[in-house]
Amino acid sequence: MTTLAEIATYLPAQRVPIEDLAGPLGLTRMQVAVFRRYHGLAEVRRDPGSLADLLLAAAAGLDGLRGREQQVRYVLHARSVPVVAPYPLNPVHEVCQRLGLGHALAFTVTHHACASGLLALDTAARLLADDGDDTRALVLAGEKAFTLDAQLAPETSLFGEASAACLVRPGGRRDRLLSYACRIRGEFDDRRAGPEMMGRYQRVFTEALAEVMHEAAARAGTSLAEISLVLPHNVNRVSWQRLAKETGFPAGRIILDNVPVSGHAFCADAFLNYRTAAGRGLLRRGDRYLMAAAGAGGSFSALVLEH
Amino acid sequence: MLRVYLSDLVRPYRLGLRDDVLERGSGQSYGEMAAALLRDVLPSDQPVDLLVFAFAMPDVVPGRATACYLSDVCPGKPMALALCDAGAAAAFTGLRLISQYARAGQCGRALLVVAEQSALHYDLPAAAPVPAVNTVVALLCETSENNGTVGRGDRAAGQRGGTARESGGAGWGSARLAAVRQHAGVTAARLAGLLSQELSDLGGNQPDATLILGGIPAGAGQPPAVSPGAAKVTFAPPGQPCTGLWWELAGGLPAWRAAQRQVLLAGYDQALGYLSVAAIDARPR
């Protein structure tokens, strides 16, 4: 059974009110007002350094990494934007070199957009399946909002810079990875984007996400009603409120604290929400909780863990 | 929008955009190239459970979730994901994942799709292999009936420029994916010894072995440095740093299977320090 041995996160100090993004992103005052009042966004974070710096800032918080670098066999960057540096420059490999992990196989897991974080956890678990208890995979999440498409999801969200680092291990006792469910809906491919497709996507979003959440819970031998907490992707508040209403899952058990704090931090959201939940004492031993995310281009994912 | 994205991509690195490449619309989208291949080679009545897409060179549609698009094209609309930033090693990692899915009983039929294309819209910031041709290769794997592990390489097909090659259909039978091994931190100085040891462990010295080598510098890939006993050594074609090994596999596997040979693929990425080896075994069990 794979477990999350440790999760560390990094939230940059620079806070940018979303009103300050209006000019650069070409948003009207009304659009910003909708983001604030309806979507629950308030500010995003920005970090002055590079992508490697951002990821290293989270990894620096992993007590279980220092002195145990040799245990790490795999380093996975969970990435929403597939290409973030000019070829052949390779931030994930730069991170490995700076962390003393040059002996590890490092690569990026992508094409699930902001659901790639959950995919990376599942992928790490599969690669570790044949390895001994003293091996680890390091999953990194977080990206730079370096271009318009990485700053704004029109009418949906605003992206923020933050990062997470997660040590995954075979065996262990806490935060056991019980199940992973994913549905690919490639009919929402970006190349076919247009008003009609976006309308369909909005209608399908709640249903498809609820479906994988139910499936992940069932595969974990439980039901959605018995899940103690949902750690969502921080796309916005209204999408999750709608899902709560549709499924009957209590909205108060969906951690949305970070939507106004960090914005949508790409694949790092669930990890940020984990740290928030842990900090608030909301995770008790034996609790089964669920990470869930949807990705543009057509992926819907959920992952159930036991604390 | 592509120009905006590319400008933002290169700005921190002070690189210039190649306006000539942009204005000509050069390059090949991975989605369209791979979809055309899959439509040609996949029987519509045989659903696929998993699609793993591996690439190193960026797509000319760099932000696209191409793996999701290809899932929609595939019969069965499978689980799909992409691996990158590992050079030629990504495809081997893809095979390892396919094996793990199969062993978990979650995958009866899986596709490994490896693609590269030749257009780069900016000045190269560091020395790196740039493909000379646009190529996609698909390897269809099926789980064997008795032990749940990936058993057969049923079909391998490729499209390179205007040339297609396919080795599938009747008479293929079984060629087992016997092993996939990967090493990191492999310097050029360590390569020959490690490669020789891996190929020897996997039976590469036997006269019924065919070796396909990619990215192996001259000297390290030549007997007696490696597999002096192997009857046949083939090299991935130049200009295909990621797809070359698999292109050769697609072209040669029918004959090697018919001759009941073992095929060993070894790919080395010197810049990233990865050595990957896979064994596809068509010998009688």
Side-chain angles (χ1 to χ4, degrees):
Chain A
M1 181 69 65
T2 307
T3 59
L4 308 187
E6 189 178 1
I7 294 173
T9 58
Y10 166 68
L11 199 61
Q14 184 187 358
R15 300 160 62 171
V16 180
I18 62 173
E19 287 73 18
D20 290 359
L21 299 175
L25 300 183
L27 298 173
T28 65
R29 286 177 59 186
M30 177 61 70
Q31 286 173 315
V32 174
V34 167
F35 271 132
R36 183 175 279 276
R37 291 181 204 146
Y38 187 59
H39 290 92
L41 294 153
E43 52 185 41
V44 297
R45 301 298 176 106
R46 291 289 185 262
D47 187 80
S50 66
L51 173 58
D53 294 332
L54 187 68
L55 299 177
L56 285 165
L62 289 175
D63 293 331
L65 181 60
R66 269 184 299 279
R68 299 195 186 97
E69 289 83 358
Q70 285 303 315
Q71 292 183 329
V72 177
R73 292 204 62 186
Y74 311 102
V75 177
L76 295 80
H77 187 204
R79 209 158 68 214
S80 178
V81 179
V83 180
V84 296
Y87 176 81
L89 302 182
N90 196 320
V92 64
H93 282 264
E94 180 187 343
V95 169
C96 284
Q97 295 304 316
R98 291 169 66 178
L99 283 177
L101 300 179
H103 56 277
L105 178 68
F107 55 95
T108 290
V109 178
T110 187
H111 287 194
H112 282 207
C114 296
S116 299
L118 277 59
L119 172 65
L121 289 177
D122 180 73
T123 301
R126 292 179 191 272
L127 289 175
L128 286 170
D130 289 335
D131 294 323
D133 281 356
D134 61 348
T135 55
R136 300 289 185 269
L138 175 61
V139 172
L140 300 168
E143 297 169 56
K144 297 290 291 180
F146 73 99
T147 191
L148 181 63
D149 287 347
Q151 294 162 355
L152 168 70
E155 300 178 11
T156 303
S157 195
L158 293 163
F159 292 99
E161 295 179 355
S163 57
C166 178
L167 279 174
V168 183
R169 62 167 293 189
R173 292 188 186 174
R174 67 174 188 194
D175 294 310
R176 300 189 310 145
L177 207 162
L178 299 182
S179 67
Y180 171 66
C182 177
R183 191 75 69 245
I184 302 295
R185 298 287 298 264
E187 70 263 38
F188 297 114
D189 171 48
D190 294 343
R191 292 294 283 270
R192 308 178 206 176
E196 189 273 333
M197 190 201 88
M198 293 310 296
R200 268 194 302 120
Y201 182 81
Q202 292 299 329
R203 289 191 293 275
V204 162
F205 179 95
T206 301
E207 173 190 312
L209 202 42
E211 180 189 349
V212 291
M213 291 169 68
H214 281 296
E215 183 179 337
R219 286 191 189 177
T222 185
S223 68
L224 188 57
E226 294 176 78
I227 293 291
S228 60
L229 274 181
V230 168
L231 309 180
H233 72 320
N234 294 331
V235 61
N236 55 53
R237 185 176 57 202
V238 65
S239 297
W240 286 100
Q241 288 172 337
R242 189 179 300 133
L243 185 137
K245 186 178 175 185
E246 295 277 335
T247 60
F249 188 83
R253 300 206 320 238
I254 303 176
I255 301 295
L256 293 171
D257 306 42
N258 290 308
V259 170
V261 172
S262 62
H264 185 11
F266 303 96
C267 303
D269 289 343
F271 303 101
L272 293 170
N273 292 333
Y274 174 93
R275 290 258 45 102
T276 295
R280 287 175 55 190
L282 298 177
L283 287 170
R284 298 163 303 184
R285 175 180 276 189
D287 279 353
R288 292 185 170 187
Y289 62 100
L290 183 149
M291 295 180 172
S299 55
F300 299 86
S301 303
L303 194 145
V304 172
L305 303 102
E306 182 176 277
H307 191 57
Chain B
M1 287 303 292
L2 179 61
R3 181 178 285 276
V4 169
Y5 164 83
L6 290 170
S7 299
D8 292 335
L9 184 77
V10 302
R11 186 174 301 110
Y13 305 91
R14 298 190 177 88
L15 299 172
L17 282 185
R18 294 279 310 275
D19 287 324
D20 55 331
V21 177
L22 267 169
E23 285 164 14
R24 277 201 308 266
S26 298
Q28 171 63 60
S29 116
Y30 288 155
E32 274 61 45
M33 182 167 62
L37 178 68
L38 298 186
R39 287 191 185 104
D40 280 347
V41 303
L42 288 180
S44 59
D45 61 343
Q46 294 182 21
V48 175
D49 303 303
L50 174 67
L51 185 150
V52 179
F53 182 71
F55 68 97
M57 187 72 173
D59 196 346
V60 293
V61 189
R64 189 183 192 185
T66 296
C68 292
Y69 167 65
L70 294 178
S71 169
D72 196 51
V73 168
C74 268
K77 300 195 188 297
M79 166 63 175
L81 60 105
L83 307 176
C84 65
D85 288 344
F92 289 87
T93 306
L95 274 185
R96 293 175 65 183
L97 274 181
I98 287 172
S99 293
Q100 290 295 350
Y101 270 86
R103 287 170 61 182
Q106 295 168 337
C107 167
R109 190 177 289 115
L111 268 174
L112 173 69
V113 180
V114 190
E116 60 195 346
Q117 62 86 29
S118 61
L120 196 62
H121 296 100
Y122 40 82
D123 301 328
L124 202 61
V130 176
V133 288
N134 307 326
T135 311
V136 60
V137 183
L139 182 67
L140 180 64
C141 306
E142 290 191 352
T143 304
S144 63
E145 291 162 357
N146 53 0
N147 63 6
T149 59
V150 174
R152 293 182 287 181
D154 196 56
R155 184 184 295 266
Q159 179 76 34
R160 181 177 71 185
T163 305
R165 60 171 38 169
E166 180 183 341
S167 46
W172 254 65
S174 296
R176 292 176 303 112
L177 178 63
V180 185
R181 299 178 184 179
Q182 296 187 279
H183 300 270
V186 181
T187 60
R190 276 186 64 208
L191 174 63
L194 182 58
L195 179 60
S196 180
Q197 179 187 324
E198 283 287 18
L199 294 179
S200 176
D201 285 350
L202 293 173
N205 286 330
Q206 302 303 313
D208 59 0
T210 293
L211 309 185
I212 312 176
L213 306 180
I216 309 287
Q222 296 288 350
V226 61
S227 298
K232 186 170 174 56
V233 181
T234 301
F235 293 88
Q240 289 184 246
C242 274
T243 63
L245 286 173
W246 313 100
W247 178 260
E248 286 303 309
L249 181 68
L253 193 52
W256 299 327
R257 194 214 65 78
Q260 297 183 333
R261 301 186 67 77
Q262 177 171 228
V263 182
L264 301 181
L265 299 95
Y268 179 56
D269 190 308
Q270 185 165 354
L272 298 177
Y274 293 145
L275 173 65
S276 303
V277 183
I280 296 177
D281 196 346
R283 297 172 298 182
R285 298 182 83 169

